[in-house]
């Protein structure tokens, strides 16, 4: 496959507005990369995708917008994020497991409405810059209405699966304690609140299984299933949590969810790093989905979810950042690399799913896992026009032999020329379109200092600079 150099691109205004016929060098179809294809975008969807010559004949009123040297590919889906944690990203570096108890709960608890909005919009901006067109928000613990996060995501222009925390077991570390009946009433309101919304898709969330009563776990599963939504739960992530479940219930977390009637297609299990063969069977048999979060595993020192085994067993899963970094190309590389180190080297598996499978899980597989499989994640007629224009004319891919593998191994955020969500141009050459991203960055820096200063964050390790100084003294 050869890609022509990226000549002068059209004015970005030609990429917005009414119906457009886009003619890139390559279209990443569900079947793989195809040269000589084009796509018609009309409103928020793809009206047609196919051979360029055919589409030009069928749409004589549209002047083709030539995009030499570019791949038109699906936007990535972040299957697990915490948008209101962006002010404290570096606070998690070098920390042992269960940092949510020491870092995230106190940090989010220190957010007021402006800070929560700004933190969420900052995270959305980073995600868009990194090639994500959808983020799955696992539910903020900030003492603000979920609508604040919805507004931030919508104003940034990213699609958001918006979780509402439904904890009802008193525990300061997981922000619970509300009466179960009130929790379920709020859940019903949340699911109906965003009916018809273009970019916000409601979901429910429970921080960890122990944060909700058996009844609430069961009823949130029922409500989500009836609404066609997902319930997000951090499951089998930390050894300590698995052991607590065994002590309390005599069952591992996934086994306990099955016992109480909360395991099914509506479940989006975040992490699932510590799963037994029997639990893999439970996931496969019940149709539950998983968010495989490889960067979070590395940063927290957790185990690595057996994603290639999940794929072989037919378990639905997508890829999530867990708020680590909003860079989709680095995420898909980490997904493959973690499988290689954790499982492939020991078994002589030199492919570890190959490049195509990680692009698949980063796009359509992720969309399916978060409940949006019928809407987004693919370049096809009728799908939402959530897509990227990626420059492949540079030294990384100019002599391409296997584009999916090269995007996974050699692709980077700097190659993303444009990001579209619902057919509208949201990012152009790394800058937001239609709003002042630099003003947001300035305000975020100011608020972050204030929030971190008043949050009762406890870290086990010093900053890297302090650690280096201490090491020199020894």
């Amino acid at each position: 496959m050869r890609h022509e150099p990226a000549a002068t691109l059209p004015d970005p205004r030609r990429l917005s507005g009414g119906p457009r016929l886009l003619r890139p060098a390559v279209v990443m179809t569900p079947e793989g990369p195809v040269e000589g294809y084009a796509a018609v975008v009309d409103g928020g969807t793809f009206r047609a995708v196919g051979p360029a010559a055919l589409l030009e004949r069928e749409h004589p009123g549209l002047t083709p917008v030539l995009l030499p040297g570019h791949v038109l590919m699906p936007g990535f889906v972040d299957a697990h994020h915490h948008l209101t944690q962006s002010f404290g990203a570096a606070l998690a570096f070098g920390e042992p497991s269960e940092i949510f108890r020491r870092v995230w709960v106190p940090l989010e608890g220190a957010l007021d409405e402006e800070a929560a909005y700004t933190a969420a919009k900052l995270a959305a901006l980073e995600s868009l810059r990194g090639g994500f067109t959808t983020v799955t928000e696992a539910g903020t613990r900030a003492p603000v209405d979920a609508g604040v996060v919805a507004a931030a995501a919508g104003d940034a222009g990213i699609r958001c699966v918006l979780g509402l925390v439904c904890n009802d077991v008193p525990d300061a570390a997981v922000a619970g304690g509300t009466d179960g009946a009130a929790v379920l009433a709020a859940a019903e309101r949340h699911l109906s609140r965003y009916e018809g919304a273009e970019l916000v898709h409601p979901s429910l969330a429970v921080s960890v299984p122990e944060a909700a009563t058996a009844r609430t776990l069961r009823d949130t599963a029922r409500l989500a299933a009836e609404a066609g939504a997902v319930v997000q739960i951090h499951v089998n992530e930390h050894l300590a949590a698995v052991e607590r479940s065994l002590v309390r219930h005599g069952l591992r977390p996934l086994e306990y969810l099955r016992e109480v009637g909360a395991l099914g297609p509506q479940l989006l299990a975040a992490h699932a790093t510590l799963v037994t063969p029997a639990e893999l069977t439970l996931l496969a048999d019940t149709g539950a989905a998983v968010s495989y979060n490889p960067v979070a595993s590395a940063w927290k020192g957790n185990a690595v979810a057996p994603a290639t085994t999940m794929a072989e067993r037919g378990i639905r899963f997508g890829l999530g950042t867990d708020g680590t970094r909003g860079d989709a190309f680095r995420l898909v590389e980490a997904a493959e690399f973690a499988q290689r180190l954790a499982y492939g080297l020991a078994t002589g598996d030199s492919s570890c799913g190959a490049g195509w499978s990680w692009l698949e899980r980063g796009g359509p597989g992720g969309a399916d896992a978060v409940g949006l499989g019928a809407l987004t994640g693919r370049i096809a007629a009728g799908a939402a026009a959530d897509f990227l224009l990626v420059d492949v004319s540079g030294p990384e891919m100019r002599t391409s032999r296997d584009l999916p593998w090269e995007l996974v191994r050699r692709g980077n955020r700097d190659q993303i020329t444009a990001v579209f969500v619902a057919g509208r141009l949201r990012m152009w050459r790394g800058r937001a379109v239609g709003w002042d991203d630099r003003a947001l960055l300035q305000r975020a820096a100011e608020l972050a200092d204030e929030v971190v200063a008043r949050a009762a964050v406890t870290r086990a390790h010093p900053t890297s600079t302090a650690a280096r100084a201490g090491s020199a003294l020894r």
Side-chain angles (χ1 to χ4, degrees):
M1 185 178 290
R2 294 289 188 269
H3 312 309
E4 293 301 316
T8 302
L9 290 173
D11 187 307
R13 286 174 294 188
R14 288 193 63 198
L15 300 172
S16 299
R20 291 143 281 161
L21 196 162
L22 305 180
R23 188 168 178 175
V26 179
V27 173
M28 189 66 73
T29 72
E31 292 73 37
V34 181
E35 297 181 84
Y37 259 40
V40 176
V41 177
D42 188 4
T45 63
F46 289 110
R47 184 195 299 181
V49 178
L54 174 63
L55 294 191
E56 288 175 23
R57 289 195 302 271
E58 292 179 345
H59 302 275
L62 299 180
T63 301
V65 180
L66 302 182
L67 301 163
H70 280 74
V71 173
L72 191 157
M73 64 180 290
F76 291 92
V77 175
D78 186 343
H80 185 62
H81 204 318
H82 294 273
L83 295 173
T84 56
Q85 293 180 0
S86 64
F87 286 174
L91 296 175
F93 297 165
E95 288 293 293
S97 68
E98 293 205 319
I99 59 172
F100 71 91
R101 295 176 179 274
R102 304 185 308 276
V103 177
W104 300 130
V105 169
L107 181 78
E108 289 182 291
L111 296 171
D112 59 18
E113 188 168 298
E114 182 193 8
Y117 173 90
T118 304
K121 194 171 183 180
L122 178 68
L125 172 65
E126 182 188 358
S127 295
L128 285 166
R129 273 172 44 86
F132 292 104
T133 52
T134 298
V135 292
T136 308
E137 159 60 38
T140 184
R141 301 181 185 91
V144 301
D145 185 83
V148 172
V149 179
D155 290 348
I158 200 165
R159 194 176 299 281
C160 180
V161 177
L162 181 64
L164 176 74
V165 174
C166 297
N167 302 345
D168 67 341
V169 170
D171 183 344
V174 292
T178 304
D179 173 73
V183 164
L184 293 175
E188 291 186 278
R189 290 193 299 272
H190 181 73
L191 291 172
S192 62
R193 179 178 183 179
Y194 297 100
E195 286 183 11
E198 181 181 36
L199 296 183
V200 178
H201 308 273
S203 79
L204 305 180
V206 174
S207 298
V208 288
E210 63 204 75
T213 60
R215 179 177 179 178
T216 294
L217 289 169
R218 181 179 62 254
D219 286 349
T220 52
R222 174 182 55 79
L223 289 174
E226 291 171 353
V230 296
V231 180
Q232 305 177 56
I233 308 179
H234 296 76
V235 175
N236 290 55
E237 180 184 6
H238 303 290
L239 180 59
V242 173
E243 291 175 339
R244 279 196 299 270
S245 182
L246 286 167
V247 170
R248 294 181 183 182
H249 308 296
L251 298 167
R252 296 169 64 87
L254 277 169
E255 295 172 335
Y256 176 65
L257 291 178
R258 188 269 308 271
E259 179 79 8
V260 300
L263 192 59
Q266 81 292 330
L267 175 66
L268 176 58
H271 301 286
T273 57
L274 300 167
V275 286
T276 63
E279 287 172 305
L280 288 172
T281 297
L282 286 178
L283 290 169
D285 288 350
T286 60
V290 170
S291 176
Y292 165 40
N293 310 322
V295 180
S297 288
W299 285 15
K300 299 178 186 178
N302 293 348
V304 175
T308 50
T309 299
M310 290 180 181
E312 182 64 23
R313 297 288 300 274
I315 296 168
R316 302 161 53 227
F317 72 91
L319 308 181
T321 64
D322 197 22
T324 52
R325 59 184 179 224
D327 189 323
F329 283 116
R330 292 186 74 182
L331 178 65
V332 292
E333 188 213 12
E336 185 268 336
F337 194 55
Q339 290 302 295
R340 183 173 301 277
L341 290 181
Y343 305 105
L345 293 180
T347 60
D349 181 358
S350 57
S351 173
C352 284
W356 69 267
S357 62
W358 302 112
L359 292 181
E360 166 79 18
R361 299 298 175 172
D368 171 65
V370 306
L372 301 183
L375 177 67
T376 189
R378 65 194 189 284
I379 309 299
D386 300 345
F387 65 97
L388 314 177
L389 295 177
V390 178
D391 188 345
V392 292
S393 67
E396 297 85 1
M397 299 177 195
R398 182 71 176 86
T399 59
S400 177
R401 297 295 191 280
D402 189 335
L403 186 58
W405 254 129
E406 287 161 352
L407 288 169
V408 169
R409 286 282 182 85
R410 296 169 65 81
N412 66 81
R413 177 170 53 193
D414 294 342
Q415 294 170 245
I416 301 173
T417 298
V419 179
F420 295 78
V421 180
R424 293 193 289 278
L425 181 64
R426 310 294 185 166
M427 301 288 297
W428 178 255
R429 297 192 185 282
R431 294 292 309 280
V433 174
W435 58 278
D436 190 347
D437 52 1
R438 288 179 177 167
L440 173 76
L441 295 176
Q442 177 61 37
R443 186 57 179 150
E446 297 166 353
L447 289 172
D449 287 342
E450 298 172 11
V451 169
V452 173
R454 66 173 178 260
V457 170
T458 303
R459 299 184 74 239
H461 296 293
T463 65
S464 58
T465 302
R468 181 181 184 184
S471 177
L473 291 175
R474 291 194 298 271

